[in-house]
Amino acid sequence: MSSIGLSFGESLADERPRSLTSAVQERLRADILSTRLLPGQKLHIAGLAKQFSVSLAAVREALSRLVADGLVQASDQRGFRVSPVSSADLRDVTQTRVDIEGLALRRSIERGDAAWLASVEKSFAALCAVPHTYPDDPTHHYEEWVVRHRVFHRTLVNACGSQWLLGFRDVLHEQSERYRRLAIRRNSEKSRNVEAEHAAIVHATLKRDADAAVAALSKHFMTTMHLVELATPKTFGGGNTA
């Protein structure tokens, strides 16, 4: 899975890690977002250093960067852990994402040119061309769909004209992605028509109907939130550690 990092001025294109620390950071980010590393799970520096064949300092720096992104928590007494999840945090993340991404979409519709509109159509077509989940395992997303889904939602707001707005949006996307992955592991989206939800956003965007596009985007995010809450009541009730 490609990493989904902060994007203040960065390209969505895959790049080779610039250092061992960056490589470890990207691998850990991918494992956290895909929930291979579960919320609350301890992250042992020595074990990770051995696993990745890097120094303790490289792992410590990578974890510190992920703390800044909100994906890892640090404690003087307990070391590092994957950030926990909760219903309150999910609702906070979702509502803030609605506010931030809705604003970015509205600005993109106002400022975007014909080339941007074409890129929205292209990214949506690319997303629809791959399956949502693995045919033999509906509890796991098809990895190429995950990548194209990220690109699709980012393309929708790329014309907003603000790197700060895009950066905050990308942080919230990462947090939302972790919750969404937890939900699909329990196959909560089997009755959901995600493609139709995306199509509604695209249709309004191409018509430059900002109110309708933002409303469809908000409904899309809120639907995800409600499905996550239904799928993970035990996780939210008592925490999940490993």
Side-chain angles (χ1 to χ4, degrees):
M1 173 181 174
S2 299
S3 66
I4 310 173
L6 299 182
S7 55
F8 290 86
E10 295 180 3
S11 168
L12 278 172
D14 291 336
E15 297 179 356
R16 289 185 177 276
R18 291 183 291 273
S19 68
L20 288 176
T21 297
S22 295
V24 174
Q25 178 188 0
E26 291 178 10
R27 173 61 184 276
L28 289 174
R29 171 179 274 116
D31 285 349
I32 291 170
L33 294 180
S34 67
T35 67
R36 285 188 289 269
L37 291 173
L38 293 171
Q41 184 169 336
K42 292 182 179 179
L43 299 170
H44 300 284
I45 294 176
L48 292 171
K50 182 177 181 180
Q51 177 183 346
F52 298 128
S53 299
V54 298
S55 67
L56 297 177
V59 173
R60 191 174 291 108
E61 173 62 22
L63 290 172
S64 296
R65 293 181 186 180
L66 293 171
V67 169
D69 291 348
L71 296 175
V72 170
Q73 288 187 344
S75 169
D76 290 339
Q77 302 298 323
R78 298 184 178 180
F80 293 94
R81 288 177 177 269
V82 177
S83 293
V85 296
S86 69
S87 181
D89 182 64
L90 169 64
R91 288 180 171 272
D92 190 10
V93 166
T94 303
Q95 185 58 60
T96 306
R97 191 179 177 198
V98 166
D99 295 340
I100 293 293
E101 199 150 342
L103 175 60
L105 178 57
R106 188 176 296 277
R107 288 188 181 180
S108 291
I109 291 172
E110 293 171 355
R111 303 175 183 184
D113 57 14
W116 169 71
L117 289 175
S119 71
V120 170
E121 286 189 289
K122 181 179 178 180
S123 65
F124 178 54
L127 179 61
C128 293
V130 295
H132 183 209
T133 60
Y134 286 101
D136 59 344
D137 185 3
T139 65
H140 284 82
H141 280 302
Y142 188 68
E143 289 302 323
E144 183 60 26
W145 185 92
V146 173
V147 174
R148 297 186 188 192
H149 182 247
R150 171 174 64 94
V151 172
F152 165 71
H153 273 288
R154 185 56 148 72
T155 301
L156 283 168
V157 297
N158 268 345
C160 72
S162 170
Q163 291 301 317
W164 281 103
L165 195 56
L166 290 173
F168 291 134
R169 177 264 163 203
D170 289 348
V171 172
L172 293 165
H173 174 88
E174 282 197 335
Q175 296 295 333
S176 299
E177 181 71 4
R178 194 162 62 117
Y179 281 104
R180 189 172 61 79
R181 290 289 196 110
L182 283 171
I184 200 169
R185 284 165 63 112
R186 293 157 177 82
N187 199 19
S188 68
E189 295 187 336
K190 58 185 178 181
S191 62
R192 181 184 189 184
N193 191 339
V194 178
E195 186 172 320
E197 293 175 28
H198 289 151
I201 301 168
V202 171
H203 179 71
T205 298
L206 295 179
K207 290 178 60 179
R208 292 192 183 274
D209 186 340
D211 289 341
V214 171
L217 185 75
S218 300
K219 182 179 180 181
H220 177 56
F221 291 163
M222 287 297 181
T223 298
T224 297
M225 183 190 75
H226 293 313
L227 288 172
V228 172
E229 289 181 322
L230 289 173
T232 55
K234 292 182 180 180
T235 299
F236 292 151
N240 192 338
T241 60

